[in-house]
Amino acid sequence: MVLSWISKDHGILLLKLEKIGVRGHSLNWFYNFLKDRCQFVEANGRSSSIQNILFWVPQGSILGPLLFLIYINDFVGVVRRGNPVFFADDTSIFYYGNELTQLLTDAQSDLNFITTWLSENCLYLNVEKSKFIIFQRPGRKIHDLPNITVSNKLVARIDHVNFLRLVLDETLLWDHHIDYVCKKISPIIGVLSRLKNVHSVEAKRTVYFGLVQSHLLYTGMCPIWGTAAEQLLTRVKILQKRAIKLLFNFPARYPTKLLFASAAVPPLDVLVAKASVSFVYQSLHGLNMSQTTFVQNSEIHGLNTRMQTQIRQTPIHSTRYGARGVYFCLVNIFNNLPQEIKESNSLNSFKRKLYVFYKSNY
């Protein structure tokens, strides 16, 4: 469920600043920073009347984002049954369970508390921008669902959502996200084609890494959507190969296997694999904030066996859809690494060995 809200009251903001320990001269400073600010609109040589700003904070100020976070800091305690995730003024709340009706009931209960909290804090929930999505297996048809409402307004259900530039569809098949990635990369192919008279391959590589590979690696999300069906990933691979050919001004039908090595550009499969095993290694050694649990055989029996660094896959999947699950794909890629790489004693050592190992696959 994705929520969006607006507005902010100065009096409430000052009260919250005081509650977190901002008092005395510091609180007076914030009061003077916010009070007696005015605004007007000028268009076509005419100006509107000057009005006092009673809500919000000065736009473009360094303190603006900080004051907003302080203002909504106690929102987490309002959500009692879901898991909220914040990004600026957008909030997503995740609910997990086996009974869909109960999940929707929990969401409605939290929304009722949220509506009350918003009213008390002079905030307004933008119902038109608030949506909910139900993640499910492909082929399931859900009917007769209870409605989710806010102040008697219906919250719309959607089949995909852009979550921080990762497009999540309700079946997690990643077709919508791959559409998104292809639409971002396709215009760059035109840019590279117009640079064909630029003789410096290094200059065109800079464009490639900045405008093509950046979309493939955005926030390390490629291990997630990289588990999509091969026919979907092929669309991205074709665009990547077209971009590599343009770096060297080769025709469209020229084989690209050697070009990846010549340009020192990893193909999509290698990008996904490297990001996947790096994530697993960091999770195993507590180097990231992931809540995903990976259990190695050595943690179970404590014996010095050949398979001690292998990660156990439990539960075992029984469908093709399960085989493309993110967890199982991550584990499979990591388990197929050579033993010496998995036993690296530091992240830097792991990355160096990983670079040498995958470079042979370019």
Side-chain angles (χ1 to χ4, degrees), residues 76-219:
V76 177
V78 179
V79 181
R80 304 181 180 183
R81 304 183 183 184
N83 298 300
V85 176
F86 298 94
F87 184 77
D89 59 344
D90 287 326
T91 302
S92 300
I93 306 176
F94 293 88
Y95 296 87
Y96 310 88
N98 297 321
E99 294 294 332
L100 181 56
T101 303
Q102 182 60 47
L103 290 179
L104 293 174
T105 302
D106 291 344
Q108 183 64 67
S109 175
D110 277 347
L111 271 179
N112 293 338
F113 287 117
I114 291 170
T115 302
T116 302
W117 181 88
L118 293 172
S119 176
E120 292 173 350
N121 287 272
C122 296
L123 290 167
Y124 166 71
L125 183 66
N126 193 331
V127 182
E128 286 71 25
K129 290 186 177 181
S130 300
K131 314 290 181 183
F132 78 95
I133 182 172
I134 299 174
F135 297 107
Q136 57 185 320
R137 289 180 177 272
R140 292 188 61 186
K141 294 182 179 180
I142 302 175
H143 302 288
D144 302 324
L145 290 176
N147 293 327
I148 296 180
T149 59
V150 176
S151 302
N152 297 322
K153 293 182 180 179
L154 193 65
V155 178
R157 179 186 173 186
I158 52 178
D159 61 2
H160 67 279
V161 60
N162 192 325
F163 180 69
L164 305 181
R165 289 176 60 185
L166 178 67
V167 184
L168 303 170
D169 60 276
E170 61 183 0
T171 55
L172 298 180
L173 293 177
W174 308 112
D175 49 339
H176 288 90
H177 182 76
I178 289 176
D179 285 341
Y180 173 80
V181 172
C182 290
K183 288 177 181 177
K184 289 291 185 180
I185 295 177
S186 294
I188 311 306
I189 303 299
V191 173
L192 289 172
S193 66
R194 289 190 287 273
L195 293 175
K196 61 183 179 181
N197 294 324
V198 176
H199 298 291
S200 171
V201 175
E202 190 61 33
K204 288 186 281 189
R205 282 182 76 250
T206 302
V207 174
Y208 170 84
F209 282 112
L211 300 179
V212 176
Q213 188 159 305
S214 59
H215 287 294
L216 301 180
L217 287 177
Y218 174 70
T219 64

Side-chain angles (χ1 to χ4, degrees), residues 318-356:
S318 58
T319 63
R320 290 183 181 179
Y321 179 75
R324 289 202 303 268
V326 175
Y327 179 86
F328 294 106
C329 290
L330 291 176
V331 171
N332 280 334
I333 297 173
F334 186 84
N335 283 344
N336 288 328
L337 286 176
Q339 191 81 357
E340 62 171 334
I341 298 180
K342 291 186 287 186
E343 292 178 345
S344 299
N345 54 14
S346 70
L347 182 59
N348 288 334
S349 174
F350 178 80
K351 288 184 176 181
R352 284 195 300 269
K353 295 176 182 178
L354 201 64
Y355 173 79
V356 174

Side-chain angles (χ1 to χ4, degrees), residues 39-49:
Q39 66 181 9
F40 69 96
V41 177
E42 183 176 351
N44 298 325
R46 302 183 63 183
S47 301
S48 67
S49 58

